[in-house]
């Protein structure tokens, strides 16, 4: 099986993302299993830039093909904020609760019909010869005035998935993982790889 390195320090991500590659002849391996303590600074101005720099950093560290993702919450009434800064919206070292509190405070004067938002995920596949492919997943929703539900993480409790009438924190995890932005991006990456069985191994020549 071809190894594909997952460029994240978050062990939960390996569990969430492995099923998307289960039908392919590859083994998803956490970068820290190969390079203990691996870390990279997310200095990009866009999700595309961050996903790319993480995937390329993992390729450099392991000399193997790698995949990385970057996600942001884009709120219409805030001109697309917090976007690429979603994990540190309330400042460096902010907790999920701090970020949600800041989001609700900024949206306080905004009426329900103007609280549209979307999660976007960009996944980047990078190969040691420099070849790069990117994939996107989007989930549309609306920001509530107060948190609802105990599941998920991050902004899930205030993100209403309108057609289901529930927040992401109220949906069963399997359902969230079926409809999510991350699922969309990784399903696209997996489908693309399925059509190109030699891509991970090839040097592109
Ligand atoms: P990352 O790029 O996956 O690290 O995501 C960046 C930030 O976006 C996280 O710190 C969370 O605040 C937020 N985020 C990403 N994915 C989700 C999600 O599925 N639900 C809620 N918040 C998320």
């Amino acid at each position: 099986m071809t190894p594909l390195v997952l460029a994240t320090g978050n062990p939960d991500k390996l569990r969430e993302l492995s099923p998307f590659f289960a039908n392919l002849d590859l083994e998803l391996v956490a970068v820290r299993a190969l390079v203990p303590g691996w870390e990279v600074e997310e200095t990009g101005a866009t999700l595309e830039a961050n996903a790319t720099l993480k995937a390329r950093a993992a390729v450099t560290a392991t000399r193997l093909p790698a995949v990385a993702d970057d996600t942001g919450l884009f709120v219409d009434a805030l001109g697309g904020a917090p976007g690429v800064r979603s994990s540190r919206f309330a400042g460096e070292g902010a907790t999920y609760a701090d970020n949600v509190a800041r989001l609700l405070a900024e949206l306080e004067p905004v009426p329900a019909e103007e609280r549209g938002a979307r999660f976007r995920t960009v996944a980047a596949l990078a190969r040691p010869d420099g070849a790069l492919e990117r994939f996107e997943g989007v989930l549309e929703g609306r920001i509530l005035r107060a948190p609802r539900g105990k599941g998920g993480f991050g902004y899930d409790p205030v993100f209403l998935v309108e057609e289901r009438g529930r927040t992401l924190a109220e949906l069963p995890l399997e359902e969230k993982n079926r409809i999510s932005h991350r699922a969309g991006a990784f399903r696209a990456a997996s489908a693309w790889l399925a059509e190109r069985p030699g891509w991970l191994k090839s040097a592109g020549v």
Side-chain angles (χ1 to χ4, degrees):
M1 287 218 271
T2 318
L4 175 61
V5 175
L6 181 62
T8 176
N10 179 349
D12 291 334
K13 268 199 185 163
L14 187 71
R15 211 170 315 129
E16 179 184 341
L17 299 177
S18 289
F20 292 105
F21 298 100
N23 60 332
L24 300 177
D25 185 31
L26 65 82
E27 186 191 4
L28 203 58
V29 185
V31 62
R32 285 191 183 166
L34 304 173
V35 185
W38 180 89
E39 232 172 306
V40 63
E41 227 190 312
E42 300 188 19
T43 52
T46 61
L47 300 181
E48 284 78 3
N50 277 334
T52 302
L53 73 84
K54 283 188 269 188
R56 290 221 152 115
V59 168
T60 302
T62 63
R63 305 311 305 159
L64 291 168
V67 62
D69 68 321
D70 202 39
T71 296
L73 175 68
F74 296 78
V75 179
D76 294 337
L78 302 180
V84 75
R85 304 193 63 253
S86 292
S87 65
R88 50 201 139 95
F89 191 36
E92 289 305 327
T95 64
Y96 290 145
D98 296 336
N99 288 330
V100 167
R102 163 127 194 232
L103 180 66
L104 295 184
E106 293 216 0
L107 288 176
E108 169 59 33
V110 180
E113 66 275 14
E114 290 169 26
R115 297 172 74 104
R118 64 205 50 75
F119 278 110
R120 274 186 69 226
T121 295
V122 173
L125 276 174
R127 227 168 40 184
D129 68 343
L132 181 86
E133 293 290 334
R134 285 189 293 220
F135 306 88
E136 189 186 357
V138 178
L139 179 65
E140 297 283 344
R142 191 155 57 80
I143 305 300
L144 294 179
R145 293 198 164 271
R148 272 175 30 192
K150 302 243 172 284
F153 67 95
Y155 298 95
D156 283 349
V158 293
F159 189 90
L160 180 73
V161 183
E162 297 200 67
E163 66 268 27
R164 288 187 164 63
R166 298 207 225 174
T167 68
L168 280 176
E170 292 174 317
L171 290 178
L173 188 60
E174 316 84 77
E175 191 173 346
K176 176 187 170 185
N177 288 346
R178 225 177 15 251
I179 65 168
S180 81
H181 37 291
R182 226 173 341 272
F186 280 88
R187 213 177 280 123
S190 167
W192 189 89
L193 280 174
E195 287 175 10
R196 294 162 185 81
W199 192 83
L200 288 178
K201 273 188 239 168
S202 143
V205 285

